[in-house]
């Protein structure tokens, strides 16, 4: 109709001008004139960005402190961090959550400043400090304008070398951690993560517990535990200071020497946890959550350590299996069967052997059928080898996602911390891209077949026990074994006091 209207209007104008030549619109002219014609064709993809990996420089001060620097001068920002080689895997058995509580406690006062004065001091620099913990290490740091780099380094030196670790602050942080855990113990993902770590590594393995601890383990922690942990974890030979952003190597060396050159401490770099045994599955672990409308499924086994020759081939294999929207697992469970909003799989290399994981939250009424499909996909790795098209999609997506990790100076510092925690070479990220590019179909298929053996995959379910009991035993995957938090663990913690 719109084209007819245009043609009619043009014809009427031509008739009104008797001496003017009449030009009848043809189809090609209409298409050009149609202002909405651009909607008929999808936009062409933009040019791919160049793959540029960051450059890191490393040196060691006379006291043994490692310094890693990555320069980026586009913005006047600097990320300054101290990385420790003792993470949640260093929690003593029975004291899970100690590393997290201790590193958070560092922010509760240092030198001559209490918690509020320390907060104010960072705020005066236009920043705030943070502390984070993972199984292999911890990071304490801040991000400031380059003009405030020295003042921020001085504050971090106080935080790391002269923390208060006083009784009042310890109790407050402990109550906060307990309050967070009281909320988490109702979360199916938290429950699944806790049961999965124990099922794959064993509850007494350093990777067999969650870094948050449990309400029971955190409830038993004392100020003396925190002081002892930090005395063992801190010191120049067990830490690195990381500078990323608008700072030169010479400036970083001067700051590190001035504020950390006299740091003393007995810490040494924590050793990698022993590799766990890979065993055949004997049971299906479940955590009961009566009335839950979904069942949280986690399937996996010990994967590999960072630096393992199979690391990148297995990463590509797990990406094909469940690492992106078009992966086999997601297309089956979500797109074909409609059992879930999404399914994923990944491998997490650590300093020791990290886990290989596949997971999904599925409708409770299809818990059994979902497990059947997960194990069908695992078995199909051998009978339906990874195709060239699948491999290229995984390779392209994986490689193109890497530069995003370095977009901010904070991302650069995190990348530097990973190099330190895992003893990786400074050109690791360039090597990583090269390894992805050079991985052959045979490499990836071999890794997939070696690590995706269905018989070695442990299973954890969190859901309605009646549903699980009715749908799972007959699948022949193993006897049902309840893995639960102790009842006292779910008891709400005392309310944390306001800061």
């Amino acid at each position: 109709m719109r084209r007819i209207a245009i043609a009619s209007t043009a014809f009427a104008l031509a008739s009104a001008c008797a001496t003017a030549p009449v030009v009848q619109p043809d189809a090609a002219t209409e298409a050009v004139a149609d202002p909405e014609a651009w909607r008929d064709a999808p936009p062409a993809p933009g040019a791919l960005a160049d793959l540029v990996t960051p450059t890191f420089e490393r040196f060691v001060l006379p006291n043994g402190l490692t310094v890693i620097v990555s320069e980026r001068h586009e913005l006047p920002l600097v990320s300054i961090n101290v990385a420790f080689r003792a993470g949640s895997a260093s929690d003593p058995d029975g004291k899970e959550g100690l590393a997290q509580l201790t590193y958070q406690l560092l922010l509760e006062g240092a030198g001559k400043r209490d918690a509020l004065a320390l907060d104010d001091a960072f705020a005066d620099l236009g920043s705030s400090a943070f502390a984070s913990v993972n199984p292999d290490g911890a990071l304490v740091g801040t991000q400031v304008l380059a003009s405030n780099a020295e003042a921020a380094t001085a504050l971090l030196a106080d935080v790391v070398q002269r923390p208060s670790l006083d009784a009042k602050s310890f109790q407050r942080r402990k109550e906060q951690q307990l309050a967070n855990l009281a909320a988490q113990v109702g979360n199916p993902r938290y429950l699944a993560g806790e049961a999965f770590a124990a099922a794959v590594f064993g509850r007494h393995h350093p990777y067999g517990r969650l870094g948050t601890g449990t309400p029971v383990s955190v409830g038993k922690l004392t100020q003396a535990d925190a002081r002892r942990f930090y005395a063992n974890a801190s010191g120049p030979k067990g830490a690195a200071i990381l500078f990323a952003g608008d700072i030169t190597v010479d400036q970083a060396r001067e700051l590190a020497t001035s504020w950390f050159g006299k740091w003393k401490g007995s810490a040494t770099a924590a050793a990698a946890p022993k590799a766990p045994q890979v065993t055949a599955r004997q049971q299906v672990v479940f955590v009961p959550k009566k009335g839950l409308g979904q069942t949280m499924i986690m399937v996996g086994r010990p994967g590999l350590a960072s630096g393992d020759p199979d690391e990148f081939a297995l990463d590509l294999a797990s990406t094909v299996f469940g690492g992106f929207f078009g992966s086999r697992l997601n297309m089956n469970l979500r797109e074909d069967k409609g059992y879930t909003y999404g399914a994923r799989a990944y491998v997490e290399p650590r300093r020791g052997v990290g886990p290989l994981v596949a997971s999904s939250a599925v409708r409770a009424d299809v818990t059994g059928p979902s497990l059947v499909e997960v194990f069908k996909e695992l078995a199909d790795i051998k009978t339906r080898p990874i195709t060239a098209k699948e491999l290229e999609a995984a390779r392209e997506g994986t490689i193109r996602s890497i530069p995003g990790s370095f977009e901010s100076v904070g991302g650069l510092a995190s990348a530097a911390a990973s190099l330190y925690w895992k003893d990786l070479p400074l050109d690791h990220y360039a090597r990583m891209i090269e390894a992805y590019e050079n991985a052959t179909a045979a490499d990836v298929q071999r890794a997939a077949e070696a690590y995706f053996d269905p018989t070695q995959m442990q299973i954890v379910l969190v859901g309605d026990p009646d549903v699980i009991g009715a749908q799972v035993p007959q699948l022949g995957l193993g006897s049902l074994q309840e893995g639960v938090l102790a009842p006292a663990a779910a008891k709400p913690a005392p309310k944390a006091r306001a800061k």
Side-chain angles (χ1 to χ4, degrees):
M1 291 298 292
R2 195 156 152 270
R3 292 183 177 184
I4 293 173
I6 293 172
S8 299
T9 302
F11 181 76
L13 288 172
S15 300
C17 303
T19 57
V22 176
V23 179
Q24 295 291 342
D26 57 27
T29 305
E30 284 185 11
V32 171
D34 187 347
E36 298 297 320
W38 63 273
R39 295 184 185 278
D40 294 339
L48 293 174
D50 292 336
L51 287 173
V52 178
T53 54
T55 299
F56 298 94
E57 295 200 37
R58 174 163 48 196
F59 55 89
V60 179
L61 297 185
N63 64 350
L65 179 66
T66 297
V67 184
I68 301 178
V69 186
S70 184
E71 295 189 32
R72 176 178 291 173
H73 300 287
E74 290 89 343
L75 294 173
L77 295 173
V78 183
S79 181
I80 308 167
N81 303 268
V82 178
F84 297 87
R85 280 281 295 262
S88 59
S90 297
D91 283 344
D93 204 5
K95 296 184 183 296
E96 296 81 19
L98 178 58
Q100 178 157 316
L101 176 55
T102 302
Y103 288 115
Q104 291 292 335
L105 188 56
L106 297 183
L107 307 180
E108 291 290 328
K112 297 180 180 179
R113 296 180 176 89
D114 61 13
L116 290 177
L118 189 60
D119 272 354
D120 287 344
F122 278 107
D124 288 344
L125 301 178
S127 68
S128 59
F130 73 92
S132 62
V133 182
N134 65 56
D136 288 337
L139 202 60
V140 178
T142 190
Q143 180 174 309
V144 294
L145 289 171
S147 56
N148 290 330
E150 175 153 18
T153 306
L155 279 176
L156 277 180
D158 259 356
V159 168
V160 169
Q161 299 175 46
R162 292 170 287 279
S164 300
L165 304 178
D166 62 84
K168 183 179 178 181
S169 298
F170 170 83
Q171 190 59 30
R172 196 175 74 83
R173 279 289 179 179
K174 177 178 173 179
E175 290 176 358
Q176 285 182 342
Q177 194 158 325
L178 285 169
N180 291 337
L181 285 167
Q184 287 295 316
V185 294
N187 185 329
R189 292 186 184 277
Y190 171 86
L191 295 173
E194 187 199 28
F196 182 79
V200 169
F201 294 101
R203 193 167 291 278
H204 298 292
H205 188 276
Y207 290 157
R209 303 84 53 95
L210 295 186
T212 56
T214 67
V216 172
S217 67
V218 174
K220 294 178 180 176
L221 298 180
T222 66
Q223 181 196 13
D225 290 331
R227 285 181 171 273
R228 191 178 304 113
F229 180 93
Y230 194 64
N232 293 331
S234 67
K237 294 180 181 177
I241 182 165
L242 319 169
F243 295 92
D246 190 18
I247 189 169
T248 66
V249 173
D250 287 343
Q251 289 171 328
R253 187 187 301 276
E254 184 177 342
L255 290 178
T257 302
S258 295
W259 297 104
F260 287 86
K262 296 180 180 178
W263 188 15
K264 297 178 181 178
S266 58
T268 56
K274 290 183 178 178
Q277 283 191 326
V278 180
T279 58
R281 183 185 60 260
Q282 302 292 324
Q283 58 193 14
V284 176
V285 177
F286 78 99
V287 180
K289 286 284 288 180
K290 186 71 176 176
L292 199 64
Q294 290 184 318
T295 298
M296 185 68 208
I297 296 175
M298 292 190 75
V299 174
R301 52 161 284 174
L304 42 67
S306 182
D308 188 290
D310 285 341
E311 178 178 354
F312 302 109
L314 181 59
D315 191 26
L316 290 172
S318 64
T319 301
V320 170
F321 182 76
F324 68 118
F325 188 86
S327 67
R328 292 185 177 189
L329 193 62
N330 191 62
M331 295 304 285
N332 184 334
L333 295 184
R334 175 191 159 109
E335 294 298 290
D336 185 31
K337 305 298 188 306
Y339 292 164
T340 178
Y341 285 115
R344 62 190 294 252
Y346 60 93
V347 60
E348 183 187 336
R350 296 176 180 170
R351 189 159 69 239
V353 171
L356 173 63
V357 187
S359 67
S360 184
V362 303
R363 293 191 343 247
D365 64 307
V366 292
T367 298
S370 296
L371 274 175
V372 169
E373 294 303 321
V374 170
F375 278 82
K376 175 179 174 296
E377 292 295 349
L378 287 169
D380 276 1
I381 286 290
K382 279 191 175 180
T383 58
R384 187 161 60 94
I386 294 170
T387 67
K389 183 178 179 181
E390 288 177 316
L391 176 57
E392 287 313 307
R395 193 199 312 270
E396 185 75 5
T398 300
I399 291 176
R400 293 298 168 186
S401 70
I402 292 172
S405 302
F406 312 125
E407 284 183 340
S408 66
V409 293
L412 276 180
S414 294
S418 187
L419 298 180
Y420 176 69
W421 288 325
K422 299 177 182 178
D423 285 331
L424 296 171
L426 296 184
D427 61 348
H428 166 74
Y429 297 104
R431 294 188 191 195
M432 183 168 66
I433 291 174
E434 185 178 354
Y436 285 130
E437 289 174 336
N438 294 335
T440 67
D443 294 334
V444 177
Q445 181 64 30
R446 179 186 51 76
E449 293 186 16
Y451 288 88
F452 283 78
D453 182 347
T455 66
Q456 295 178 339
M457 291 288 183
Q458 308 303 318
I459 304 172
V460 169
L461 307 174
V462 179
D464 191 306
D466 294 336
V467 173
I468 291 172
Q471 297 188 19
V472 176
Q474 61 269 37
L475 301 180
L477 296 172
S479 60
L480 281 179
Q481 172 69 43
E482 185 172 340
V484 295
L485 291 172
K491 184 179 178 181
K495 186 177 180 181
R497 294 191 296 274
K499 191 171 182 179

